[in-house]
């Protein structure tokens, strides 16, 4: 990094009114948290951390907490109808409710964001047990999705107060997932810029990149996307909106089946994508198929890479290069019956971009799946 760039970054950090230490956790509201926890433990290699439910004296909902590297997932199911969690599942199916961000001061995070127009979700709330205390606060973002600010500097328990240590369902081996690289939201046609402004004005993020329908279009459909990042760059939230195409775009399909705006995909980073994807495939995770022709011209497009092309072709891993290096990535099929949330596995080798060179191949693969669902 040049000296000028370093100084600029330092200044940006100095003026950052919402310093974020990283993604704290992602909470999913699901129809059957117990079975979802089993799936993420055994298929994705997450390790059991904590539990809250009837056995711990909590009578509203059951929650299972699992972790791999710095990625913490929480799966929550209500015991009864007639509450917000049950309504969320009825409307959206399984999906992401909370994108929690770790901060040093959740009271300040709430004050700064709500003062700038953030819609309050939870005023600063202190929770404690024998392991110490946390302060949580939160604001709304797109759809029914919320950001919770987590201040956990004075807490030593397994997750949050009220959660008990939990041993999971037998043994499972991690597959090398390290951290959340980025988390993408789908919003309605014409609303992308409103959420770009939300992340800029309310959360102090800056826009890294934008893609328009010239970058991201196939014969049938198109989308627009802008990538927002926080001051230190740890948090990246791309926002997608559908663009006018000849047929229904993947974003429109998502919005129709999620019945609203929400998290489209979570990208999880690995240092060894070949190992990670081989393990995921062995454990039955389904990925979008990449046509063999993609690999015939791969080296012409991306130049020299460390990984054998035949192995990438066997596993369906995509490669893209930018000015700073290259990246390897692959996308799962949706992980629930509704064609909504899916995952990206990404390995960065210098590249800081998002695989623009793969968009066309990727979206054609998505459209083949849409056509099979009768939704193209
Ligand atoms: Fe992505």
């Amino acid at each position: 990094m040049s000296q000028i760039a370093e100084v600029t970054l330092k200044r940006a950090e100095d003026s950052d009114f919402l310093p974020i230490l990283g993604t704290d956790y992602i909470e999913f509201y699901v129809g059957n948290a117990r079975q979802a926890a089993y799936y993420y433990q055994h298929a994705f290699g997450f390790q059991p951390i904590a539990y809250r439910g009837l056995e711990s004296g909590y009578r509203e909902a059951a929650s299972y907490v699992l972790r791999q590297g710095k990625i913490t997932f929480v799966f929550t199911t209500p015991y009864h109808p007639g509450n917000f969690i049950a309504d969320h599942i009825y409307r959206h199916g399984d999906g992401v409710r909370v994108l929690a961000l770790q901060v040093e001061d959740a009271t300040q995070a709430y004050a700064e964001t709500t003062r700038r127009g953030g819609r309050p979700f939870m005023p600063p709330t202190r929770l404690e047990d024998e392991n110490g205390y946390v302060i949580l606060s939160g604001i709304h973002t797109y759809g029914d999705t919320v950001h919770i600010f987590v201040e956990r500097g004075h807490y030593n328990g397994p997750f949050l107060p009220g959660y008990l240590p939990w041993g999971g369902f037998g043994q499972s081996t991690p597959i090398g997932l390290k951290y959340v690289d980025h988390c993408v939201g789908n919003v309605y046609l014409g609303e992308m810029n409103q959420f770009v402004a939300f992340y800029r004005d309310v959360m102090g993020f800056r826009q890294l990149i934008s893609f328009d329908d010239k970058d991201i279009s196939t014969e049938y459909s198109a989308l627009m996307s802008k990538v927002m990042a926080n001051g230190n760059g740890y948090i990246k939230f791309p926002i997608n909106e559908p663009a006018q195409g000849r047929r229904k775009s993947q974003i429109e399909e998502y919005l129709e089946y999620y019945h609203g705006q929400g998290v489209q995909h979570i990208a999880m980073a690995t240092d060894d994508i070949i190992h990670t994807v081989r393990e995921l495939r062995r454990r039955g995770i389904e990925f979008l198929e990449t046509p063999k022709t993609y690999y015939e011209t791969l080296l012409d497009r991306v130049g020299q890479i460390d990984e054998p092309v035949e192995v990438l072709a066997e596993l369906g891993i995509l490669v893209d290069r930018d000015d700073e290096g290259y990246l390897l990535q692959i996308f799962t099929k949706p992980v629930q019956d509704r064609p909504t949330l899916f995952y990206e596995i990404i390995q960065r080798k210098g590249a800081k971009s998002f695989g623009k060179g793969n968009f066309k191949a990727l979206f054609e693969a998505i459209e083949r799946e849409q056509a099979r669902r009768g939704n193209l």
Side-chain angles (χ1 to χ4, degrees):
M1 196 187 295
S2 76
Q3 224 169 5
I4 294 170
E6 266 177 47
V7 170
T8 312
L9 191 62
K10 185 82 179 54
R11 279 207 194 114
E13 277 173 12
D14 288 346
S15 63
D16 190 354
F17 62 81
L18 182 60
I20 298 172
L21 306 172
T23 303
D24 195 276
Y25 67 90
I26 296 175
E27 182 169 12
F28 305 74
Y29 286 172
V30 298
N32 187 335
R34 195 174 177 79
Q35 289 188 9
Y38 181 93
Y39 176 80
Y40 283 91
Q41 187 188 340
H42 289 280
F44 280 86
F46 281 77
Q47 299 300 298
I49 296 292
Y51 167 80
R52 184 177 73 173
L54 292 174
E55 295 83 348
S56 70
Y58 189 71
R59 307 199 63 80
E60 306 298 316
S63 293
Y64 297 79
V65 184
L66 298 101
R67 183 171 297 149
Q68 186 166 183
K70 293 179 179 169
I71 312 167
T72 304
F73 282 173
V74 183
F75 300 95
T76 296
T77 292
Y79 290 116
H80 302 286
N83 55 71
F84 185 81
I85 307 173
D87 294 348
H88 192 279
I89 296 165
Y90 180 76
R91 182 175 180 83
H92 301 300
D94 289 5
V96 172
R97 165 63 168 168
V98 180
L99 294 170
L101 304 169
Q102 199 178 129
V103 298
E104 300 224 356
D105 186 340
T107 306
Q108 188 206 359
Y110 184 82
E112 295 285 356
T113 51
T114 53
R115 185 164 69 80
R116 291 172 166 83
R119 187 155 66 90
F121 168 64
M122 183 200 294
T125 304
R126 182 185 164 114
L127 302 175
E128 60 183 293
D129 65 11
E130 65 279 11
N131 297 305
Y133 72 89
V134 301
I135 311 274
L136 305 180
S137 64
I139 59 172
H140 290 268
T141 176
Y142 43 77
D144 286 327
T145 317
V146 297
H147 289 307
I148 290 186
F149 304 117
V150 182
E151 174 187 335
R152 54 168 69 256
H154 300 277
Y155 192 67
N156 295 313
F159 180 54
L160 291 174
Y163 283 78
L164 300 177
W166 169 62
F169 304 110
Q171 303 289 315
S172 72
T173 317
I175 57 166
L177 298 175
K178 300 269 186 193
Y179 58 89
V180 173
D181 186 275
H182 59 276
C183 208
V184 182
N186 280 344
V187 304
Y188 294 131
L189 181 63
E191 295 197 9
M192 175 179 66
N193 285 330
Q194 177 190 320
F195 287 100
V196 164
F198 163 82
Y199 281 106
R200 184 190 62 219
D201 300 339
V202 173
M203 309 251 314
F205 285 32
R206 70 207 139 86
Q207 186 178 322
L208 281 188
I209 321 169
S210 86
F211 303 104
D212 63 21
D213 49 355
K214 284 172 221 60
D215 299 313
I216 316 183
S217 71
T218 64
E219 191 188 342
Y220 293 132
S221 67
L223 68 86
M224 319 254 263
S225 189
K226 288 184 176 173
V227 181
M228 303 304 290
N230 80 317
N232 60 20
Y234 291 176
I235 306 295
K236 293 189 272 297
F237 291 145
I239 307 290
N240 293 335
E241 74 171 26
Q244 232 36 266
R246 280 178 54 205
R247 302 234 183 139
K248 187 188 293 175
S249 79
Q250 47 159 317
I251 310 302
E252 288 170 274
E253 187 194 37
Y254 174 100
L255 295 167
E256 184 176 304
Y257 280 82
Y258 198 68
H259 288 270
Q261 312 183 108
V263 173
Q264 177 209 38
H265 76 267
I266 298 167
M268 300 188 284
T270 171
D271 288 340
D272 184 354
I273 197 167
I274 288 173
H275 167 71
T276 300
V277 172
R278 189 165 269 151
E279 272 301 304
L280 286 167
R281 284 194 180 275
R282 193 177 68 73
R283 298 169 186 208
I285 296 299
E286 298 176 299
F287 293 93
L288 292 176
E289 281 148 38
T290 311
K292 292 293 166 227
T293 51
Y294 175 89
Y295 296 95
E296 288 166 9
T297 53
L298 179 63
L299 294 183
D300 300 335
R301 280 187 288 115
V302 301
Q304 198 55 47
I305 53 173
D306 302 333
E307 297 74 14
V309 173
E310 60 275 16
V311 177
L312 299 179
E314 172 208 328
L315 295 170
I317 295 167
L318 307 170
V319 189
D320 194 28
R321 185 178 284 281
D322 65 19
D323 298 342
E324 293 169 278
Y326 67 98
L327 62 82
L328 304 108
Q329 63 187 165
I330 190 169
F331 298 85
T332 72
K333 292 184 181 178
V335 292
Q336 57 289 306
D337 290 295
R338 296 193 196 194
T340 52
L341 177 75
F342 60 88
Y343 290 96
E344 173 180 352
I345 309 297
I346 185 167
Q347 181 177 3
R348 295 187 179 279
K349 296 190 128 179
K352 295 200 180 76
S353 52
F354 295 84
K356 180 176 160 180
N358 290 324
F359 287 168
K360 194 170 167 64
L362 169 64
F363 295 152
E364 285 170 353
I366 291 175
E367 284 165 7
R368 284 192 294 277
E369 295 294 316
Q370 271 182 265
R372 286 167 64 184
R373 294 191 281 261
N375 287 340
L376 186 62

